[in-house]
Amino acid sequence: MIKPLKKAVLPVAGLGTRFLPATKAMPKEMLPVVDKPLIQYAIDEARAAGIEEFCLITARGKDNLIDYFDVAYELEATLRGRNKVSAIEALESSSVEAGSLVAVRQQNPLGLGHAIWCARNFIGTDPFAILLPDDIVKGGRSCIAQLADVYRQTGGNVLAVNEVPPEWTDRYGVLLPGEDDGKRVEVKGLVEKPAPADAPSNLAIIGRYILTADVLEPLSHLKQGVGGEVQLTDAMAELIGKVPFHGLRYEGTRFDCGSKLGFLEAQIAMAVDREDLGQDVRAFLKKYI
Ligand code: G1P
């Protein structure tokens, strides 16, 4: 039986060193793209896939993220008093239903695999999505909803994948592809950050996954992998051949907001598409190029 997908885990424990000093006193996931923090893009995308329960894997100094999803009574009262309707509306998407969001601390930065393992009690025996909020996927339909379509057909694990320039394989988890219909590809092997010469393909995982709870077992005994970290990719690799395993070339454009260039590109791509800003942004961009 294929269990319905209702849960998402969002690893947000990273230090955000690439954005210092901006991230000295605020979590990088709170950096806004136009007027919405990165974490909100991930939550909105998950909600659009019917996901109702969220688990943030946080760390010391990142409590703002939890405050962000709380109700801001004083702010709302002040806005109401001043009849700021659009500002009140803007706040709506940031509150979650009572009891639908929990946070777990990853006490030590031991890697993405360890972060997911920290969510084991939240996951239980259910399938779950993982959204790395550094990645924003812009396009028609929620990327996780696209993965969920495949999951409902095949069950098992589904990863969002993308062809990357061959010299970039050492930045990603990379697939050894099996049967491939041009969109959906069977996963025959997985390697975390292989050197280009050792990479089984240039099909890379981006920060969107749907996994079954089976991944918790290998995560519970995994040793440190590439970069001295417990790698989610290594745990997933142990499940190949045991559960259905697919990659999906999703529709949409992915921005790596964990890098300065990707973050800036996301700002521009999102801004030029906005009804309230697009025209003006296009006009002022011409001044600089
Ligand atoms: C992580 C994963 C990697 C994946 C990438 C997607 O790497 O370990 O497999 O391809 O996210 O963004 P990180 O970017 O944390 O180094």
Side-chain angles (χ1 to χ4, degrees):
M1 194 198 79
I2 297 176
K3 285 190 179 181
L5 176 73
K6 291 288 165 200
K7 295 182 175 177
V9 177
L10 295 97
V12 290
L15 292 174
T17 45
R18 275 184 277 183
F19 284 94
L20 284 170
T23 49
K24 182 181 170 193
M26 104 196 225
K28 70 169 170 180
E29 297 79 10
M30 287 302 298
L31 292 173
V33 171
V34 187
D35 49 10
K36 237 168 52 166
L38 288 171
I39 189 74
Q40 182 76 58
Y41 285 91
I43 293 275
D44 289 349
E45 185 189 318
R47 277 182 178 147
I51 289 171
E52 294 166 355
E53 295 172 54
F54 303 93
C55 180
L56 304 184
I57 310 298
T58 68
R60 240 159 312 183
K62 306 201 81 170
D63 290 352
N64 282 358
L65 283 164
I66 299 164
D67 292 340
Y68 176 78
F69 290 106
D70 204 346
V71 176
Y73 287 108
E74 287 162 0
L75 176 60
E76 283 183 24
T78 308
L79 294 174
R80 233 173 268 120
R82 294 182 189 169
N83 204 24
K84 299 267 187 200
V85 180
S86 61
I88 296 169
E89 279 170 9
L91 279 180
E92 262 164 30
S93 65
S94 68
S95 52
V96 294
E97 203 194 327
S100 66
L101 183 137
V102 296
V104 173
R105 281 219 181 157
Q106 184 186 23
Q107 291 116 324
N108 292 300
L110 299 177
L112 179 60
H114 178 259
I116 300 305
W117 183 76
C118 290
R120 65 195 178 283
N121 291 334
F122 168 80
I123 295 164
T125 56
D126 292 325
F128 62 102
I130 302 173
L131 296 95
L132 308 184
D134 275 2
D135 282 337
I136 288 188
V137 187
K138 179 175 179 292
R141 187 141 180 269
S142 151
C143 181
I144 282 290
Q146 295 177 47
L147 299 187
D149 289 346
V150 175
Y151 167 77
R152 275 188 292 271
Q153 290 164 23
T154 61
N157 298 331
V158 189
L159 314 175
V161 299
N162 210 356
E163 257 96 19
V164 297
E167 63 274 19
W168 286 5
T169 54
D170 57 2
R171 304 179 186 186
Y172 298 100
V174 175
L175 265 64
L176 170 64
E179 212 174 293
D180 188 344
D181 69 6
K183 268 197 86 175
R184 187 200 296 180
V185 49
E186 195 189 349
V187 178
K188 286 285 199 187
L190 285 170
V191 192
E192 180 68 9
K193 301 194 172 76
D198 307 326
S201 75
N202 66 335
L203 212 47
I205 308 169
I206 68 141
R208 299 291 186 270
Y209 311 68
I210 293 175
L211 302 179
T212 63
D214 300 295
V215 77
L216 295 175
E217 199 280 318
L219 280 178
S220 70
H221 59 70
L222 213 61
K223 305 251 165 7
Q224 293 171 337
V226 171
E229 298 191 340
V230 177
Q231 295 293 352
L232 177 63
T233 303
D234 296 344
M236 296 191 302
E238 291 197 22
L239 300 173
I240 294 166
K242 297 180 186 157
V243 297
F245 214 135
H246 296 91
L248 177 72
R249 291 184 186 84
Y250 56 93
E251 282 165 23
T253 309
R254 171 243 185 190
F255 298 99
D256 173 12
C257 295
S259 80
K260 283 174 199 167
L261 258 188
F263 182 67
L264 290 171
E265 191 180 347
Q267 302 283 356
I268 293 169
M270 292 293 182
V272 296
D273 260 14
R274 286 265 298 244
E275 248 173 56
D276 56 341
L277 295 169
Q279 221 180 350
D280 291 342
V281 173
R282 276 170 210 274
F284 82 55
L285 278 176
K286 290 196 187 115
K287 271 202 299 190
Y288 299 98
I289 50 177

